[in-house]
Amino acid sequence: MTDAAHRLLWTIVALVLVAGGATTLVVSFGVPPGGGPDAAVLGDGLLDAWRLATPWSTLAATVAGLLTALTGQRLLAREVRRPGRALRGTLSRPGNRPGRTRLAADLLTRALERDLTAHPAVRAARVVLTGTPPHPDVWIRMDLTADAGAVAVREHVHTAVSRFAVTAGCRPAHLDVTARITPGRP
């Protein structure tokens, strides 16, 4: 079921709940508009049960009507409200064939970490993404070997982040790279 069909279904359910709750409230407080004071809304059997349970029947109908109307109103408010322009965890692709893909941020960070650790001078990498998907902030912390060349590592990081930006469709708004040299293994 598409998002639009889902919204339409729950909007209809919410409207039915609001109408049912409002009708119950109107009936519990007296005569519905356009009806006579002696007109029965319920059948004879239900009318006798209603009169037998008075005053609790009116209270029960009022509470049921309020709860049903409130539930319908809350559901309707949630379905009518549109999400914000930038959805967290959603990547958008404009162009001739636009679309959206939901992708967990941890999948992107693991892919970038794996790409960064492909260089022999990088022992470990930790990546954190924050912010909105089109332009997230990227925080990278790397552990390097003692013999790592600064220029080679810088080029590798630049290539990996560029590849990440093209693949994920997210150009980093802010890139912070922290590199520390760890002592060699004995």
Side-chain angles (χ1 to χ4, degrees), residues 128-132 135-139 172-175:
V128 175
L129 296 175
T130 59
T132 57
H135 301 289
D137 293 334
V138 180
W139 307 85
H174 175 78
L175 176 63

Side-chain angles (χ1 to χ4, degrees), residues 18 42 62 77 127 131 149 151:
V18 169
L42 306 173
T62 302
V127 176
V151 174

Side-chain angles (χ1 to χ4, degrees), residues 55-146:
W56 298 109
S57 58
T58 304
L59 180 63
T62 302
V63 169
L66 279 173
L67 290 177
T68 305
L70 182 63
T71 302
Q73 183 273 333
R74 296 291 302 247
L75 184 59
L76 186 60
R78 289 195 66 148
E79 290 303 318
V80 170
R81 182 181 57 199
R82 296 297 302 168
R85 194 167 200 285
L87 299 174
R88 291 189 73 84
T90 302
L91 304 174
S92 298
R93 181 181 180 271
N96 294 339
R97 301 179 68 178
R100 291 183 182 266
T101 302
R102 286 195 178 267
L103 188 61
D106 62 339
L107 295 175
L108 292 174
T109 59
R110 276 187 274 162
L112 185 54
E113 287 169 357
R114 194 170 41 249
D115 197 9
L116 288 168
T117 56
H119 193 279
V122 180
R123 287 199 174 150
R126 171 89 169 107
V127 176
V128 175
L129 296 175
T130 59
T132 57
H135 301 289
D137 293 334
V138 180
W139 307 85
I140 300 173
R141 193 187 87 221
M142 299 186 314
D143 294 334
L144 305 175
T145 60

